[in-house]
Amino acid sequence: MFSLSKSVPVAVIATGLAFVASGFASGPAAAGQVSPPPLVLSPNLTEPWMLQLQPRVQRRTAAPTRRQVQQPRVQRQVQQPRVQRANWWSPRQQPVRQQQQQRAQTRQVAPQFLPTIVSYDSKYKPGTIVIDTNARYLYLIQNDGTARRYGVGVGKPGFEWAGSHKVTRKAEWPDWRPPAAMRKRRPELPVFMAGGPDNPLGARALYLGSTLYRIHGSNQPWTIGHAVSSGCIRMRNEDVIDLYERVGVGTTVHVI
């Protein structure tokens, strides 16, 4: 064995060790033996020489992880069809609105035909009913020179009549049996209709003598003040109920 002199340069020692290491690495391995890992000289030559003989460790570099950026989920909005509302006050809608207003007005009773008490100086005794078909009013004479006045609907042209009769029968929510002559003119009419809100005779009926005429209510109050019936005297249902409670069978009725 020989000793290394202190004067030998460090670079020479490093070169020799590298040559020896390469010799060991290049030698063939015996059968059944595994070749040792190659020696790698540390680049830091100031370290102790034993630490410089480090086996080469192959570092497995992990594959770079690809960061998945989650794309924001875009919700597709289905565009609803735009519905254009017609402006109720637009010029195009004005005729429609005017027609509806006129229709609503025609279905109301004119104020002058609502019930009221008026002065009535006549030759008829109290309790008598007087119907003025021209003015479209029914008067119930009272004791103090006044009368209860109600608006009525009267016979249309060709069905006017006048005369004096007595109330021979009273009925609440009367049934209706259209006369044969009426059904001949209007074949769509039923032979019989039970009393009720849909019945043309309305809520009450006062039958006049042996005639086919009656004072009765109506489910068409807007016809009050007009000549529309087949001869009967029409009243609003609330008005005929009031009259019904004030008169009895035997009351005299004058139609003028």
Side-chain angles (χ1 to χ4, degrees):
M1 298 295 294
F2 58 92
S3 62
L4 297 173
S5 175
K6 295 181 179 180
S7 61
V8 179
V10 176
V12 174
I13 296 173
T15 304
L17 289 174
F19 178 78
V20 174
S22 63
F24 283 114
S26 61
Q33 294 183 356
V34 179
S35 298
L39 297 177
V40 179
L41 185 63
S42 173
N44 189 2
L45 299 178
T46 61
E47 294 182 354
W49 69 273
M50 288 299 292
L51 295 178
Q52 297 177 19
L53 303 178
Q54 298 289 341
R56 179 178 290 176
V57 178
Q58 295 182 354
R59 295 182 179 178
R60 295 182 61 185
T61 57
T65 304
R66 181 176 295 176
R67 187 176 180 184
Q68 295 182 354
V69 180
Q70 188 174 3
Q71 297 295 332
R73 188 176 181 183
V74 180
Q75 242 181 359
R76 190 175 181 185
Q77 295 183 353
V78 180
Q79 188 173 5
Q80 298 293 333
R82 186 175 179 182
V83 180
Q84 189 173 7
R85 287 188 174 183
N87 186 1
W88 179 249
W89 299 100
S90 65
R92 181 181 297 180
Q93 294 296 324
Q94 286 294 331
V96 178
R97 186 169 61 87
Q98 291 173 359
Q99 288 177 5
Q100 292 186 354
Q101 287 180 347
Q102 291 174 0
R103 189 179 304 167
Q105 291 174 358
T106 56
R107 287 180 174 267
Q108 295 178 358
V109 178
Q112 65 268 25
F113 295 114
L114 295 177
T116 186
I117 297 177
V118 296
S119 297
Y120 196 84
D121 187 13
S122 71
K123 59 182 180 180
Y124 304 115
K125 64 179 183 180
T128 302
I129 293 175
V130 179
I131 300 173
D132 187 341
T133 56
N134 290 325
R136 317 287 167 77
Y137 287 124
L138 181 151
Y139 298 90
L140 175 60
I141 309 302
Q142 301 189 129
N143 292 319
D144 56 355
T146 63
R148 288 184 174 272
R149 190 185 72 183
Y150 306 88
V152 296
V154 298
K156 57 189 174 182
F159 293 88
E160 307 95 334
W161 65 278
S164 297
H165 297 281
K166 291 186 178 296
V167 175
T168 53
R169 187 165 74 91
K170 297 169 59 178
E172 299 182 5
W173 295 105
D175 299 332
W176 184 41
R177 293 176 175 80
M182 182 181 292
R183 285 191 286 109
K184 185 176 180 180
R185 294 192 308 269
R186 299 176 56 188
E188 74 278 6
L189 292 179
V191 177
F192 170 82
M193 180 180 288
D198 295 330
N199 194 302
L201 297 185
R204 302 289 187 271
L206 304 175
Y207 293 82
L208 303 180
S210 59
T211 70
L212 298 176
Y213 301 129
R214 292 156 291 231
I215 302 171
H216 63 77
S218 175
N219 55 13
Q220 297 177 332
W222 56 89
T223 61
I224 303 305
H226 300 277
V228 292
S229 75
S230 295
C232 289
I233 307 301
R234 295 184 180 184
M235 302 179 70
R236 296 193 312 162
N237 278 334
E238 48 266 58
D239 294 345
V240 76
I241 290 174
D242 182 73
L243 180 66
Y244 185 94
E245 300 296 330
R246 296 179 183 277
V247 301
V249 174
T251 299
T252 301
V253 178
H254 299 284
V255 179
I256 58 177

